[in-house]
């Protein structure tokens, strides 16, 4: 029998225990087997695979004798019989010897003729010499995850800057994406406020890279600071306009009057950063995926389309607009368009005309520029922070005047629910609470409630239902409903605690209510992270009567801490809180909280009383509610997988041209 030449070595990391029932062998290209030959039999015994060549000529493109599927040319020898047939095959066949490493793992195979010597003699009349050394070699396809150069552009990113959910998202999602193999940069302003918050930027170093940005009638110089942390390049745009007391958007006197200027600088600098900053030794380059968040970053997709692509830059870049809150759109007078550093012919992308009823006087033409609208028009894809909100913004009620435009781009509009930082928000290890607990052992939660009552100066009553609210004190959060409902709610045997700041009217009301209902109500004006953790852990019920809520995070924190949410059925609240049904699940109940609609004081109070009654009279049902909420998966890992799917969809298509 002619010997065979082993043209390409094989090396596979396989299990040390190989079963003849699961072992398959594909010789067609790895071993350079003769395509006109036909291999009709195989057997596996004593760690050796025996292959028998047939004289029958088959289809040259197939090796049926080595297929795992049943056919006339590939009979597998039964282990319990046919021993003589096996021996006969081994006499005339070629055996596949197995080499193992020190641990017993298979590292390679070799062909052994019946003589026991490795077959190395070439059979030139049967094996054709390939024209190229790689010709005819079929590479083993290994499934790999596509990775991207991702650039987040945002006004805030925790822990460096944060006023709400936007900071949480842009502080957590980039870290998870970096952990999944992507190269990630976050571009945000370097805010210096003159207080302890400045220490957040202490680890960022000056890159000594200054660029000139053309906008607002001249050249504006910006610098870049950088910190590499948790696998992410945190890049901070530095300019004197970011150095002032207050939060990223305003101070005690209201919003800053130059916010359009400040965030125009951010967008221009963010477009230049991947091109000019050699982070880790090399730049991100032009093939980037920009994730632009809310109106503050919304000039980025417009700049890509109007300033860069017409001149051959960023041809392979893509942009995704993430809408966290459609209520803020960056609307300014039309005359400010000339300040944005955009060609005059792109004015239509940002043009905005107020309806007649919204104009200041009869002669007001209502003309303005809307920066968020510009991103909706030019971005390759649009995301919101929940599926429910993605639908709501296409309606007249939830679209804030942009519903028709968003409906026209519905085909590229998706919603992905935010995740939470499960390391920071973990009742079994939270450093801000005095007692730890888990879904398996809830005893610590009762202790957290007593500790909170002591801290707030409320009567120590573990059996009394305790309701909490954490959030901004403004119209969106439904504070007016709470204000109207408190007199009736205080007639019940409950305790109520609120934490937040915002509208001075509601801040003053909280102080007054605390005086009126001294043994039942506490209002903490301001925001305090440790206190927010202790309220989340100590309360039994969390109330969120938001008029609209793109995603909401507090209800996710509450469920993780076994605090049952009562929420208005809107946006992300409806998506994440499963309404309680006591008779579902074979009578064991389903759901993680209560949702109510319509948004009225009566509906809110009725739902709250149902929750209070369940807490008092159905203890086992309440514990089941708590545990179901604590076991829900709201990790950023889950959200990141969905983001990657959107990345794939975005990069499959050419850049969007409005």
């Amino acid at each position: 029998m002619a010997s065979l030449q082993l043209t390409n070595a094989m090396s596979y990391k396989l299990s040390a225990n190989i079963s003849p029932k699961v072992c398959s062998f594909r010789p067609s290209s790895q071993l350079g087997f003769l395509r006109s030959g036909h291999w009709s039999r195989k057997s596996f015994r004593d760690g050796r695979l025996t292959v028998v060549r047939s004289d029958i000529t088959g289809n040259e493109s197939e090796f049926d004798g080595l297929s795992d599927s049943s056919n006339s040319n590939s009979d597998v020898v039964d282990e319990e019989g046919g021993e003589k047939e096996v021996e006969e095959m081994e006499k005339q066949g070629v055996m596949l010897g197995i080499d193992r490493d020190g641990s017993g793992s298979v590292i390679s195979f070799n062909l052994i003729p019946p003589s026991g010597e490795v077959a190395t003699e070439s059979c030139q009349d049967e094996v054709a010499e390939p024209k190229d050394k790689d010709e005819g070699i079929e590479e083993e396809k290994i499934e790999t995850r596509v990775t991207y150069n991702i650039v987040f552009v945002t006004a805030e990113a925790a822990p460096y800057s944060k006023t709400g959910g936007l900071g949480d998202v842009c502080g957590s999602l980039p870290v998870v994406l970096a952990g999944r193999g992507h190269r990630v940069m976050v571009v945000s302003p370097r805010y210096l406020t003159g207080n302890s918050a400045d220490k957040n930027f202490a680890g960022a170093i000056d890159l000594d890279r200054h660029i000139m940005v053309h906008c607002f009638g001249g050249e504006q110089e910006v610098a870049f600071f950088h910190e590499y942390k948790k696998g992410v390049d945190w890049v901070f745009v530095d300019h004197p306009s970011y150095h002032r007391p207050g939060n990223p958007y305003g101070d005690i006197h209201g919003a800053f009057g130059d916010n359009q200027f400040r965030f125009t600088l951010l967008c221009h600098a963010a477009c230049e950063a991947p091109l000019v900053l050699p982070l880790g030794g090399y730049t991100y380059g032009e093939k980037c995926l920009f994730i632009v968040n809310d109106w503050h970053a919304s000039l980025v997709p417009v700049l890509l389309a109007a300033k860069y692509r017409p001149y051959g830059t960023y041809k392979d870049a893509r942009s995704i607009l993430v809408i966290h809150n459609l209520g803020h759109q960056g609307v300014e007078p039309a005359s400010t368009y000339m300040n944005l550093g955009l060609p005059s012919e792109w004015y239509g992308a940002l043009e905005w005309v107020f309806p007649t009823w919204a104009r200041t006087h009869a002669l007001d033409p209502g003309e303005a520029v809307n920066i968020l609208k510009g991103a909706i028009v030019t971005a390759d894809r649009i995301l919101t922070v929940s599926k429910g909100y993605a639908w709501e913004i296409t309606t007249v009620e939830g679209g804030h005047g942009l519903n028709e435009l968003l409906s026209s781009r519905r085909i590229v509009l998706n919603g992905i629910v935010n995740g939470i930082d499960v390391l920071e928000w973990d009742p079994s290890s939270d450093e801000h609470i005095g007692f730890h607990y888990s879904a398996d052992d809830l005893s610590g939660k009762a202790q957290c409630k007593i500790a909170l009552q002591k801290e707030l100066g409320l009567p120590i009553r573990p059996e009394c239902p305790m309701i909490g609210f954490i959030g901004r004190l403004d119209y969106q959060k439904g504070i007016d409903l709470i204000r109207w409902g408190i007199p009736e709610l205080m007639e019940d045997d409950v305790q109520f605690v609120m934490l937040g700041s915002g509208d001075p009217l509601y801040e003053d009301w909280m102080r007054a209510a605390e005086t009126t209902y001294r043994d039942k109500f506490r209002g903490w004006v301001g925001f305090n992270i440790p206190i927010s953790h202790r309220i989340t852990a100590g309360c039994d019920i969390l109330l969120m009567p938001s008029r609209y809520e793109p995603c909401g995070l507090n209800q996710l924190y509450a469920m993780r801490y076994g605090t049952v949410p009562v929420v208005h059925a809107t946006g992300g609240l409806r998506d994440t809180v499963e309404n309680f049904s006591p008779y579902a699940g074979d009578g064991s109940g389903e759901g993680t909280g209560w949702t109510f609609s319509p948004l009225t004081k009566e509906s809110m109070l009725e739902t709250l009383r149902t929750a209070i009654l369940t807490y008092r009279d159905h203890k086992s049902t309440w514990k089941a509610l708590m545990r179901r909420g604590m076991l829900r998966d709201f990790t950023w890992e889950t959200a990141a997988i969905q983001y990657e799917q959107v990345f794939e969809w975005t990069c499959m298509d050419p850049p969007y041209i409005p």
Side-chain angles (χ1 to χ4, degrees):
M1 176 178 177
S3 62
L4 300 177
Q5 181 181 20
L6 184 64
T7 59
N8 292 280
M10 299 188 304
S11 179
Y12 295 96
K13 190 71 174 178
L14 301 177
S15 170
N17 298 320
I18 303 178
S19 167
K21 294 184 178 180
V22 300
C23 181
S24 62
F25 175 53
R26 291 176 169 233
S28 57
S29 53
Q30 288 94 337
L31 294 178
F33 279 179
L34 185 68
R35 288 201 173 271
S36 62
H38 205 71
W39 302 88
S40 63
R41 298 287 183 139
K42 62 176 181 270
S43 71
F44 195 101
R45 192 174 67 172
D46 299 330
R48 298 178 298 176
L49 178 65
T50 300
V51 183
V52 182
R53 178 174 177 176
S54 169
D55 294 330
I56 302 174
T57 302
N59 188 332
E60 293 185 359
S61 65
E62 297 179 352
F63 289 86
D64 299 47
L66 292 172
S67 171
D68 285 337
S69 58
S70 299
N71 55 60
S72 58
N73 293 326
S74 60
D75 299 325
V76 180
V77 178
D78 186 75
E79 290 181 18
E80 298 179 358
E83 291 294 323
K84 292 183 178 180
E85 185 176 1
V86 173
E87 293 176 1
E88 183 63 23
M89 288 169 62
E90 291 183 352
K91 290 180 181 179
Q92 57 177 315
V94 180
M95 293 179 291
L96 190 65
I98 298 176
D99 292 335
R100 303 175 186 270
D101 61 13
S103 66
S105 299
V106 176
I107 58 173
S108 64
F109 299 99
N110 54 73
L111 295 176
I112 306 174
S115 62
E117 299 176 358
V118 177
T120 57
E121 182 182 348
S122 174
C123 186
Q124 298 295 337
D125 60 332
E126 292 184 342
V127 180
E129 193 71 21
K131 296 180 182 179
D132 184 82
K133 66 178 182 178
D134 293 327
E135 184 175 317
I137 300 176
E138 181 182 347
E139 295 288 342
E140 184 73 19
K141 294 182 179 179
I142 302 175
E143 184 178 352
T144 58
R145 183 188 296 122
V146 177
T147 58
Y148 302 92
N149 288 341
I150 303 171
V151 181
F152 280 79
V153 187
T154 177
E156 53 183 277
Y160 302 99
S161 55
K162 173 186 171 181
T163 64
L166 173 60
D168 285 325
V169 172
C170 294
S172 299
L173 179 58
V175 174
V176 176
L177 289 172
R180 294 180 62 82
H182 305 285
R183 192 181 187 202
V184 184
M185 176 197 305
V186 178
V187 184
S188 182
R190 181 172 176 257
Y191 301 110
L192 296 181
T193 59
N195 58 32
S196 59
D198 292 356
K199 68 179 184 298
N200 293 329
F201 298 95
I205 61 172
D206 189 347
L207 292 176
D208 195 24
R209 189 72 171 89
H210 296 242
I211 64 170
M212 304 302 293
V213 172
H214 180 74
C215 64
F216 281 78
E219 299 289 334
Q220 316 295 334
E221 183 179 16
V222 298
F224 295 97
F225 282 69
H226 172 251
E227 181 176 13
Y228 183 76
K229 185 178 180 181
K230 296 182 179 180
V232 175
D233 290 303
W234 305 91
V235 173
F236 304 105
V237 180
D238 193 54
H239 186 270
S241 64
Y242 302 131
H243 305 167
R244 61 182 66 164
N247 65 43
Y249 315 113
D251 55 19
I252 58 174
H253 304 292
F256 295 130
D258 61 345
N259 275 343
Q260 187 190 63
F261 170 75
R262 299 165 77 231
F263 295 119
T264 295
L265 287 183
L266 170 66
C267 293
H268 280 272
C271 289
E272 289 293 315
L275 304 177
V276 303
L277 301 182
L279 307 177
Y282 62 100
T283 65
Y284 276 59
E286 297 182 27
K287 194 171 183 179
C288 290
L289 186 58
F290 287 90
I291 313 298
V292 300
N293 296 271
D294 276 349
W295 79 264
H296 325 97
S298 288
L299 273 184
V300 169
V302 186
L303 289 169
L304 295 178
K307 180 182 176 181
Y308 290 94
R309 288 194 187 116
Y311 302 97
T313 305
Y314 281 133
K315 298 186 301 295
D316 295 323
R318 300 290 185 273
S319 61
I320 298 174
L321 168 66
V322 183
I323 299 175
H324 300 262
N325 191 335
L326 191 64
H328 304 283
Q329 301 176 8
V331 179
E332 296 285 351
S335 59
T336 63
Y337 177 81
M338 61 183 296
N339 295 328
L340 303 179
L342 293 169
S344 59
E345 61 268 22
W346 280 83
Y347 173 76
L350 279 71
E351 183 181 17
W352 180 255
V353 180
F354 282 100
T356 303
W357 62 266
R359 301 177 189 179
T360 57
H361 53 78
L363 299 179
D364 182 4
E367 296 177 356
V369 291
N370 185 321
I371 294 178
L372 182 64
K373 179 207 169 188
I376 294 172
V377 169
T378 55
D380 295 291
R381 203 161 193 98
I382 304 169
L383 282 176
T384 67
V385 288
S386 71
K387 293 181 180 179
Y389 194 59
W391 171 79
E392 286 180 5
I393 63 176
T394 64
T395 67
V396 174
E397 296 80 5
H400 295 274
L402 291 171
N403 50 289
E404 292 185 3
L405 177 59
L406 287 161
S407 295
S408 71
R409 301 215 64 197
R410 191 192 302 269
I411 193 171
V412 295
L413 175 61
N414 298 92
I416 298 175
V417 173
N418 286 335
I420 61 175
D421 187 338
V422 294
L423 297 179
E424 178 184 359
W425 291 91
D426 184 355
S428 66
S429 59
D430 192 334
E431 62 181 11
H432 299 303
I433 62 178
F435 303 89
H436 295 148
Y437 59 96
S438 66
D440 297 326
D441 181 8
L442 294 169
S443 59
K445 184 168 179 61
Q447 298 299 317
C448 288
K449 180 177 180 178
I450 294 173
L452 180 62
Q453 291 172 330
K454 288 181 180 179
E455 182 175 8
L456 298 176
L458 289 169
I460 309 302
R461 298 184 59 206
E463 78 288 351
C464 179
M466 194 170 192
I467 305 168
F469 170 89
I470 302 171
R472 295 194 312 276
L473 305 181
D474 61 25
Y475 182 75
Q476 178 202 336
K477 299 297 183 181
I479 304 301
D480 52 329
L481 265 70
I482 298 177
R483 180 187 179 193
W484 297 335
I486 279 294
E488 293 182 42
L489 187 61
M490 291 293 97
E491 294 176 3
D492 295 335
D493 186 19
V494 298
Q495 293 178 343
F496 200 106
V497 55
M498 296 181 66
L499 170 67
S501 62
D503 191 327
L505 172 67
Y506 296 128
E507 292 182 354
D508 292 341
W509 165 77
M510 279 173 49
R511 296 185 182 100
E514 183 171 309
T515 302
T516 304
Y517 309 105
R518 188 173 302 275
D519 292 336
K520 291 187 173 183
F521 185 95
R522 289 291 182 272
W524 186 300
V525 177
F527 186 76
N528 183 292
I529 291 177
I531 291 296
S532 70
H533 281 245
R534 292 198 282 273
I535 291 176
T536 303
C539 284
D540 303 298
I541 299 170
L542 182 80
L543 177 62
M544 294 184 69
S546 304
R547 277 183 166 75
Y548 66 93
E549 194 67 67
C551 177
L553 294 176
N554 286 328
Q555 83 278 12
L556 306 183
Y557 300 148
M559 285 187 282
R560 183 158 173 79
Y561 278 63
T563 302
V564 178
V566 174
V567 303
H568 176 220
T570 183
L573 301 181
R574 180 176 52 217
D575 286 356
T576 56
V577 178
E578 182 183 353
N579 204 35
F580 174 59
S581 177
Y583 305 111
D586 299 326
S588 61
E590 288 182 354
T592 57
W594 279 269
T595 61
F596 64 89
S597 185
L599 184 64
T600 63
K601 179 191 72 172
E602 291 73 21
S603 179
M604 178 186 74
L605 291 177
E606 180 183 356
T607 307
L608 268 177
R609 287 173 179 139
T610 300
I612 292 168
L613 180 65
T614 305
Y615 172 82
R616 285 186 177 137
D617 298 341
H618 305 279
K619 294 297 185 182
S620 60
T621 299
W622 190 265
K623 287 185 178 180
L625 262 171
M626 294 169 61
R627 289 194 173 98
R628 282 194 295 271
M630 297 180 76
L631 296 175
R632 293 288 295 272
D633 179 10
F634 292 119
T635 61
W636 270 115
E637 192 73 22
T638 301
I641 294 171
Q642 298 176 64
Y643 269 87
E644 288 175 336
Q645 179 64 72
V646 174
F647 297 164
E648 181 180 347
W649 293 339
T650 305
C651 294
M652 285 173 60
D653 298 325
Y656 175 69
I657 301 176

